Amino acid sequence: MSKEYYKKKLIDLRRYISDEREAKKRDNDSYARLIKNASSSYSKASYRKNKIDKAAYHDRRIEGWKAEIERTKDALRRCR
């Protein structure tokens, strides 16, 4: 692979992280509204659990993208 390929890949990976952070914010806001407007304690508890699970999902994806950035940086160093 060429240096340009790895540089483009790094740019794309950073964009993926940014997009994932925005998605996490949107989901947290959405679940906060659902929790606030829930009528029963059971549904509130359910929304809270879903909010935690979704935030963890986004965190795992962000960590995965960060690991991919590190692998790409290593590959770029080897390419030179």
Side-chain angles (χ1 to χ4, degrees):
M1 304 280 177
S2 67
K3 286 187 246 183
E4 291 77 25
Y5 168 79
Y6 291 118
K7 288 178 182 178
K8 183 186 177 308
K9 187 173 180 181
L10 283 173
I11 292 168
D12 290 342
L13 291 170
R14 289 183 182 118
R15 191 186 79 240
Y16 296 157
I17 289 174
S18 173
D19 291 346
E20 196 67 34
R21 285 186 177 136
E22 289 299 317
K24 182 179 177 182
K25 286 179 190 176
R26 279 193 311 272
D27 286 346
N28 279 341
D29 291 342
S30 173
Y31 278 112
R33 278 193 308 278
L34 288 171
I35 291 167
K36 180 180 177 186
N37 297 326
S39 58
S40 70
S41 61
Y42 173 77
S43 59
K44 279 189 180 192
S46 176
Y47 289 141
R48 283 187 183 111
K49 182 187 176 306
N50 290 342
K51 181 179 177 181
I52 292 168
D53 291 343
K54 195 67 168 181
Y57 164 78
H58 287 297
D59 290 339
R60 285 191 304 273
R61 287 193 49 138
I62 289 169
E63 290 305 313
W65 294 126
K66 286 180 181 178
E68 184 65 26
I69 284 175
E70 291 305 314
R71 287 191 293 271
T72 303
K73 285 180 179 178
D74 290 340
L76 181 61
R77 281 187 222 115
R78 284 193 307 270
C79 185
R80 291 181 179 175

